[in-house]
């Protein structure tokens, strides 16, 4: 039985969207995949693929992302096991490259989840490390990533042809590596507060809370996907309209969905897609699930 088939068979017996306080690797991976799917099942997200439409993408749709999420699930489990075993960043990097190969094989070469493999994968490794006492259990998942692998993340090899590397060279953007090495400040200082604030504003609409968190991330994140597609003007436009949406009440006002949909269409018209913010939204959901189970 292949790694993917074995993981799917084990996952079939797991509850969905769970992050038990002493999770095993399969449970950690299941939670990570479920968070990727929750991000997909969120609309309107400016320019991003959802179960409703393709956003600004002509090479992928919801089915592509679902297949991709399933393909990389086993590697989230492997990363959690590596973290539990006290492995160094070099081992995590190898598993990440294996996950990328599985993603490309499943999607016929489309880059659907490279950013999530990196960021969400590190959080899975951190959850594994915490579950086996590799760090002080009082540390957050983000702080665990910094403590165990922060210097290695910044000092590791660079993907020469990635969008993030190109944006760093052209605009000086820190990108995913800086975000991870610093313990995912965008998740803890932006995504989580917005998600939880909106959960109070729209208590009966979990999708609305995810939309609010997405807009909050777009409003501040130095998203290298936006820089790649639209340059500095594209990034500034995205931030401006996201801040306007939030400043006018976000999802706390009755016409929020219509306003968010109009912004989504504006991103599509400009071919903008804040993929980094989408990855951070999935990470925010993962950390939120973990912290709700392990307060």
């Amino acid at each position: 039985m292949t790694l993917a088939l074995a993981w799917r068979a084990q996952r079939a017996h797991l509850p969905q969207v769970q992050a038990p306080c002493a999770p095993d690797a399969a449970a950690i991976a299941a939670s990570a995949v479920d968070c990727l799917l929750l991000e997909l099942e969120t609309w309107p997200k400016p320019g991003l693929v959802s179960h409703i439409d393709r956003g600004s993408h002509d090479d992928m749709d919801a089915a592509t992302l679902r297949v991709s999420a399933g393909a990389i699930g086993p590697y989230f489990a492997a990363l959690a096991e590596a973290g539990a075993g006290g492995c160094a960043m070099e081992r995590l990097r190898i598993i990440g490259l294996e996950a990328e190969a599985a993603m490309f094989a499943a999607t016929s070469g489309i880059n659907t989840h490279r950013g999530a493999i990196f960021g969400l994968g590190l959080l899975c490794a951190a959850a594994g490390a915490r579950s086996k006492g590799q760090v002080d259990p009082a540390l957050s998942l983000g702080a665990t990533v910094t403590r165990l692998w922060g210097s290695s993340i910044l000092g590791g090899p660079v993907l020469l042809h990635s969008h993030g590397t190109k944006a760093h060279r052209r605009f000086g953007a820190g990108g995913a590596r800086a975000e991870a090495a610093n313990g995912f400040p965008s998740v803890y200082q932006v995504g989580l507060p917005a998600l939880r604030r909106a959960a109070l504003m729209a208590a009966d609409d979990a999708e609305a809370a995810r939309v609010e968190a997405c807009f909050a991330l777009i409003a501040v994140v130095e998203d290298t996907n936006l820089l790649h597609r639209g340059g500095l003007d594209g990034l500034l436009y995205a931030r401006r309209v996201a801040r306007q949406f939030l400043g006018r009440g976000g999802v706390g006002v009755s016409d929020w969905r219509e306003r968010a949909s109009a912004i989504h269409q504006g991103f599509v018209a400009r071919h903008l897609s804040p993929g980094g913010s989408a990855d951070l939204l999935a990470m925010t959901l993962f950390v939120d699930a973990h912290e709700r189970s392990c307060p």
Side-chain angles (χ1 to χ4, degrees):
M1 182 180 288
T2 68
L3 177 62
L5 289 175
W7 180 81
R8 287 180 189 132
Q10 187 172 10
R11 184 176 182 241
H13 301 289
L14 291 169
Q16 299 300 295
V17 198
Q18 296 293 319
C21 204
D24 63 16
I28 291 168
S31 179
V33 170
D34 289 336
C35 290
L36 287 179
L37 296 177
L38 272 178
E39 185 276 323
L40 176 61
E41 297 289 331
T42 302
W43 185 88
K45 303 189 306 285
L48 295 164
V49 178
S50 73
H51 60 298
I52 300 296
D53 59 37
R54 293 172 176 260
S56 298
H57 297 264
D58 55 12
D59 60 345
M60 68 181 79
D61 57 16
T64 316
L65 288 167
R66 291 187 186 107
V67 168
S68 175
I72 63 179
Y75 302 93
F76 286 144
L79 286 163
E81 289 174 351
C87 291
M89 188 64 197
E90 288 73 14
R91 176 59 187 154
L92 303 188
R93 193 172 285 117
I94 290 170
I95 298 170
L97 290 172
E98 292 171 345
E100 284 190 15
M103 173 192 74
F104 285 127
T107 63
S108 300
I110 299 170
N111 176 15
T112 45
H113 284 124
R114 176 181 274 166
I117 289 170
F118 177 71
L120 193 53
L122 281 168
L123 291 171
C124 286
R130 282 189 56 183
S131 73
K132 295 299 182 181
Q134 296 289 349
V135 294
D136 183 343
L139 285 179
S140 69
L141 295 183
T144 298
V145 170
T146 300
R147 174 73 58 84
L148 295 178
W149 306 295
S151 60
S152 298
I153 290 168
L154 291 177
V158 175
L159 291 172
L160 295 179
H161 303 295
S162 73
H163 295 166
T165 300
K166 292 176 182 176
H168 175 70
R169 288 173 175 168
R170 184 176 178 188
F171 302 104
R177 287 156 63 96
E179 178 75 25
N182 290 318
F184 300 98
S186 297
V187 169
Y188 287 91
Q189 297 172 21
V190 180
L192 276 175
L195 184 75
R196 291 168 178 172
R197 178 181 67 247
L200 298 176
M201 290 192 297
D204 298 324
D205 191 347
E207 182 180 45
R210 301 195 299 271
V211 169
E212 181 88 359
C214 185
F215 271 87
L217 290 163
I218 294 169
V220 299
V221 168
E222 198 171 50
D223 196 312
T224 55
N225 286 273
L226 286 172
L227 285 169
H228 171 73
R229 282 175 172 255
L232 185 59
D233 287 344
L235 176 66
L236 294 177
Y237 165 81
R239 285 179 166 179
R240 183 176 69 255
V241 297
R243 288 169 180 167
Q244 289 171 349
F245 174 81
L246 297 168
R248 293 172 183 170
V251 301
V253 295
S254 60
D255 66 341
W256 74 265
R257 194 174 293 274
E258 290 77 11
R259 292 190 297 113
S261 179
I263 293 170
H264 171 56
Q265 295 306 321
F267 273 55
V268 172
R270 291 166 176 80
H271 200 56
L272 296 174
S273 177
S277 297
D279 294 334
L280 288 165
L281 175 58
M283 295 177 221
T284 296
L285 297 172
F286 180 82
V287 170
D288 180 61
H290 187 86
E291 291 191 353
R292 283 189 287 106
S293 297
C294 306

